[in-house]
Amino acid sequence: MYTHEKNILTAGKPLEQTGKALVMVHGRGATAESILELSDYLDVTDFTLNAPQATNHSWYPYSFMAPVSQNQPALDSALALLDETVKSIKAQGVDSRHIYLLGFSQGACLTAEYATRHAQRFGGLLLFTGGLIGQQIDTGNYKGSFEGTPVLITTGDPDPHVPVSRVEETVKIMEEMGAEVTKQIYKGRPHTILQEELSLAKTILSAS
């Protein structure tokens, strides 16, 4: 088991020029560099990009549907790193309404879990194939209100890692906490990000 060293890559214009940030969270086995490449397809030239790197290229060791205890202390360390990333952006004078969070697969699960534990009016959440973490979801962990934050959440049907049922549970909890959720389930889609998903993400990003 491991904790995560602070290693955050940045790209794009400086925050004092853009006034808004996109935090991009990579999937299992991937890198901060690889998730930053996704920005080429998202029209984010007016954003400052932040991509934390997971130690050992994985945010936590087992499935997001495993008992939470099996994924500790890596999970808590990963959540703390995301919190530190967001707080450092806020400390530079950026309101949460101008902070967007994006994740793919394991990164989408981590992003969903972090945002719901710290619910507030974010600019938007882009959860490409992900859902809330745990064998059973512990709603006692979730606090605050999303105050109308736009959320995109997707998965394939079936997906080898993220079952539709967990996406449905995640949508219900986020909506109860005030999020405006767009859910897309793609029949037979491989474990990837489709052009349509990128187009839906662009709609949320361009509303800033």
Side-chain angles (χ1 to χ4, degrees), residues 22 24 38-45 47 102 126 128 197-199 201-202 205:
L22 174 62
M24 307 178 75
L38 195 61
S39 64
D40 294 342
Y41 305 94
L42 287 173
D43 301 341
V44 287
T45 52
F47 286 78
L102 174 157
L126 308 172
F128 297 117
E197 293 171 76
L198 294 170
S199 297
K202 280 192 212 177
L205 290 165

Side-chain angles (χ1 to χ4, degrees), residues 72-101:
Q72 298 294 17
L75 175 59
D76 278 352
S77 177
L79 290 166
L81 180 58
L82 260 190
D83 193 41
E84 193 176 345
T85 305
V86 170
K87 282 179 174 169
S88 73
I89 294 165
K90 286 183 172 180
Q92 296 174 71
V94 178
D95 187 90
S96 66
R97 291 171 177 270
H98 302 297
I99 300 173
Y100 295 70
L101 304 174

Side-chain angles (χ1 to χ4, degrees), residues 30-74:
T31 62
E33 288 93 345
S34 67
I35 197 76
L36 282 171
E37 289 172 6
L38 195 61
S39 64
D40 294 342
Y41 305 94
L42 287 173
D43 301 341
V44 287
T45 52
D46 292 334
F47 286 78
T48 301
L49 310 179
N50 293 258
Q53 172 65 51
T55 299
N56 300 331
H57 303 285
S58 179
W59 293 111
Y60 42 85
Y62 299 106
S63 164
F64 85 116
M65 302 280 288
V68 166
S69 60
Q70 291 183 12
N71 279 317
Q72 298 294 17

Side-chain angles (χ1 to χ4, degrees), residues 6 19 34 46 48 103 124 131 138 151 153 186 190:
K6 184 178 180 182
S34 67
D46 292 334
T48 301
D138 181 2
V151 176
I153 185 167
Y186 297 98

Side-chain angles (χ1 to χ4, degrees), residues 87-175:
K87 282 179 174 169
S88 73
I89 294 165
K90 286 183 172 180
Q92 296 174 71
V94 178
D95 187 90
S96 66
R97 291 171 177 270
H98 302 297
I99 300 173
Y100 295 70
L101 304 174
L102 174 157
F104 171 64
S105 192
Q106 192 188 51
C109 298
L110 183 66
T111 300
E113 186 70 18
Y114 167 75
T116 311
R117 289 185 184 211
H118 301 270
Q120 56 202 287
R121 180 50 161 98
F122 291 106
L125 305 177
L126 308 172
L127 308 173
F128 297 117
T129 309
L132 292 168
I133 293 174
Q135 187 173 29
Q136 282 88 35
I137 292 176
D138 181 2
T139 55
N141 288 327
Y142 305 138
K143 297 179 175 56
S145 169
F146 282 116
E147 300 173 32
T149 295
V151 176
L152 171 65
I153 185 167
T154 67
T155 196
D157 182 16
D159 182 86
H161 305 292
V162 181
V164 171
S165 58
R166 179 52 57 94
V167 170
E168 304 279 11
E169 287 180 274
T170 301
V171 169
K172 182 172 184 288
I173 289 167
M174 287 186 156
E175 286 183 338

